[in-house]
Amino acid sequence: YSRQLFYRNEKGLDPGTVSRDKRYVALLKPRTTSDSDIYLLDRHTGKVTNITAHEGNVSNTPVEFSPDGTKLLFISDEGREFKSLRSHGFATGAKKVVLEPNWDVWGASYTRSGKYLVVWINEDAAFTTRLYDSESLQEAKLSGLPQGLVRGLTVSYSDSQMLFYASDGSAPQDLYAGPMGGTPQRLTNALNPS
């Protein structure tokens, strides 16, 4: 098979996420563990732009491009104690708050269809997973979930099935799977029977 150079890192920028159409690459320039900038490479023009220029210590991390390739989701603690999920629109350069919980956002990812946005949040040292409608940003209510903490939520390509780990804290995590909107089935039993 043939290969083509995708990006040459000549400025010490850490490659991050790539847009689905492969036009944009998010690049990270860390200065310290609590101070970093995100640069956006437009592969059509070759232009690299700092989209999070700031003064002081601000932690910025690229997360995911929107399925339509019009914006970049990123995590930032600019102006607040906790990290929030924000977006940078390419057409206008406008930055917007997407989700600003009272805990740190650790990551986010669109489902393959773009219908849902999966967000990982560190809630008081417990990592939780939330599912949102990507257009309205209303939290999707999933029925039949077990009691306790749900982590590692994955949604199928068709948005019809889900897979996740769950535990109520009294036992190790078990793996569950099932239809969206239905009752998931536990696939594993992490406790030793004896």
Side-chain angles (χ1 to χ4, degrees):
Y1 65 92
S2 65
R3 292 181 282 178
Q4 181 180 2
L5 181 64
F6 190 77
Y7 168 70
R8 185 182 304 274
N9 188 357
E10 296 176 334
K11 296 183 181 180
L13 303 174
D14 297 337
T17 187
V18 178
S19 63
R20 291 182 183 188
D21 64 2
K22 313 260 187 297
R23 176 176 179 176
Y24 296 105
V25 180
L27 305 165
L28 182 66
K29 181 177 184 176
R31 282 190 279 286
T32 67
T33 56
S34 60
D35 187 23
S36 53
D37 272 320
I38 299 170
Y39 287 77
L40 184 67
L41 165 64
D42 182 337
R43 293 185 62 240
H44 288 184
T45 65
K47 185 176 178 183
V48 177
T49 306
N50 182 347
I51 63 169
T52 57
H54 64 274
E55 293 184 17
N57 288 332
V58 177
S59 175
N60 296 294
T61 306
V63 175
E64 171 96 292
F65 287 95
S66 61
D68 63 4
T70 61
K71 63 186 172 187
L72 172 69
L73 295 183
F74 66 100
I75 297 169
S76 180
D77 65 0
E78 185 170 23
R80 63 188 313 260
E81 177 183 357
F82 297 107
K83 296 177 182 180
S84 62
L85 185 62
R86 304 174 189 203
S87 68
H88 170 84
F90 302 146
T92 64
K95 291 183 198 62
K96 294 181 182 176
V97 172
V98 175
L99 189 64
E100 200 170 56
N102 289 326
W103 302 104
D104 283 328
V105 173
W106 279 85
S109 179
Y110 288 98
T111 58
R112 185 177 182 117
S113 71
K115 180 177 181 179
Y116 297 108
L117 178 64
V118 182
V119 180
W120 300 278
I121 301 171
N122 178 356
E123 292 183 1
D124 201 19
F127 292 94
T128 62
T129 304
R130 302 286 169 92
L131 185 68
Y132 295 91
D133 177 280
S134 65
E135 292 295 320
S136 68
L137 292 177
Q138 295 295 313
E139 189 168 358
K141 299 299 179 195
L142 299 173
S143 61
L145 295 182
Q147 292 293 322
L149 186 65
V150 172
R151 297 174 59 170
L153 178 69
T154 301
V155 178
S156 67
Y157 288 168
S158 66
D159 291 326
S160 63
Q161 301 287 316
M162 63 180 164
L163 180 76
F164 60 88
Y165 289 96
S167 173
D168 65 1
S170 66
Q173 296 182 88
D174 280 313
L175 181 64
Y176 290 78
M180 295 290 286
T183 302
Q185 301 249 332
R186 186 169 76 182
L187 304 178
T188 62
N189 188 350
L191 282 179
N192 187 329
S194 54

